[in-house]
Amino acid sequence: MKLPQSFVSSLVFVGLLIGGGFGSVATAQQSDTLSIEHAQGTTVVPLNPKKVIILNPSTLDIADALDIPVAGVPKTNSHLPEFLKKYQGAAWLNAGTLFEPDYEALSHASPDIIFAGGRARDARDKLSEIAPVVSLEIDPAHFIASLSQRTHQLASIFGKQAQAETLLAAFTAKAETIRAKSASAGSAMVIMVNGGKMSAYTPGSRFGFIYDALGFAPAVNLQKTGTHGSIVSSEFILHANPDWLFVLDRDSATGSKTGAAAQQVLDNPLIRKTSAWQKGHVVYLDSASLYIAGGLQSYSRLMDSINSALSP
């Protein structure tokens, strides 16, 4: 018997979460260390490290969810979402910026482990002279599997496996709830407004989660896009005529004042003709959470917003 594709996708989705995704989570080498496979190689790390530096906001997002103690994060020029802003306080070491670590401060602090990756991935070699470096970047092309794997890996270092299972089970339940609704919700388009211009994202892209994991049908087939998406116009969006518009505002996320706000850009005669606008289905997402962080809590909050929009 051939199963419906949607059912097969659902089973794969759940299986990836429960099973911890693709690849190994961690391999015990000794009683006090683990060997972690990550985005930039394999690193032997200490179990239950005490002084933890996290440069990648998506890893910080997951670590915060797991109640992992953090000693330092980037501060200068960073725009963490509200639920992570406590780490900007004086109690946490200023580890530099999202792109440029403060090597002198980190060397002086002598951390037990550094989670780099993301915007600081080029700093790995220099950081490795200070402490073991792990890059738990999430692969957008396999987002759910990758997020699950990274959560399990982080949990395994700190003995938080049971907590990780609980969080991932709740995450799965939220996604399945939305998938049951999105199947009959119509088409969707995910766009980001940046400097007054709009970019659209496809399934399998950086912000493809809404299609790939939540089951919304894309309003238009675009070529695979990278981190910046495909530039689109209001005419293009009207022609695609999505039933749902999910909107990110990059300027709002980064604090830039260079362009009009997403609400201003979209409020024009062409967008007002779309099915999404006329049905009140234009959903402005938590841009700082998704653009800057993008971990377990960010996407869980995203699902809360979408589920609320689907349940008027």
Side-chain angles (χ1 to χ4, degrees), residues 124-155:
R124 179 175 181 258
D125 289 345
K126 290 186 68 173
L127 291 172
S128 296
E129 298 174 3
I130 300 172
V133 177
V134 175
S135 300
L136 298 182
E137 297 174 53
I138 299 170
D139 181 356
H142 307 281
F143 185 88
I144 294 297
S146 186
L147 175 68
S148 178
Q149 182 196 36
R150 296 320 191 195
T151 302
H152 278 101
Q153 287 181 304
L154 197 58

Side-chain angles (χ1 to χ4, degrees), residues 189 198 220 231-242 265-266 268-274:
M189 182 177 286
M198 296 182 288
V220 64
I231 296 295
V232 296
S233 64
S234 294
E235 289 85 353
F236 181 90
I237 295 174
L238 175 58
H239 182 71
N241 198 25
V265 174
L266 289 171
N268 68 63
L270 295 175
I271 299 296
R272 288 189 213 118
K273 291 180 182 178
T274 63

Side-chain angles (χ1 to χ4, degrees), residues 157-234:
I157 296 172
F158 295 90
K160 299 275 188 176
Q161 293 92 332
Q163 196 167 340
E165 292 295 344
T166 299
L167 290 170
L168 289 170
F171 193 92
T172 305
K174 286 187 180 184
E176 288 299 299
T177 296
I178 294 174
R179 287 177 69 88
K181 297 177 180 179
S182 67
S184 58
S187 63
M189 182 177 286
V190 180
I191 65 170
M192 182 167 68
V193 178
N194 178 21
K197 297 181 180 179
M198 296 182 288
S199 300
Y201 288 84
T202 64
S205 69
R206 179 179 184 182
F207 299 116
F209 177 85
I210 288 174
Y211 313 112
D212 304 328
L214 303 186
F216 281 91
V220 64
N221 293 317
L222 296 167
Q223 289 188 338
K224 294 288 185 182
T225 55
T227 57
H228 301 296
S230 297
I231 296 295
V232 296
S233 64
S234 294

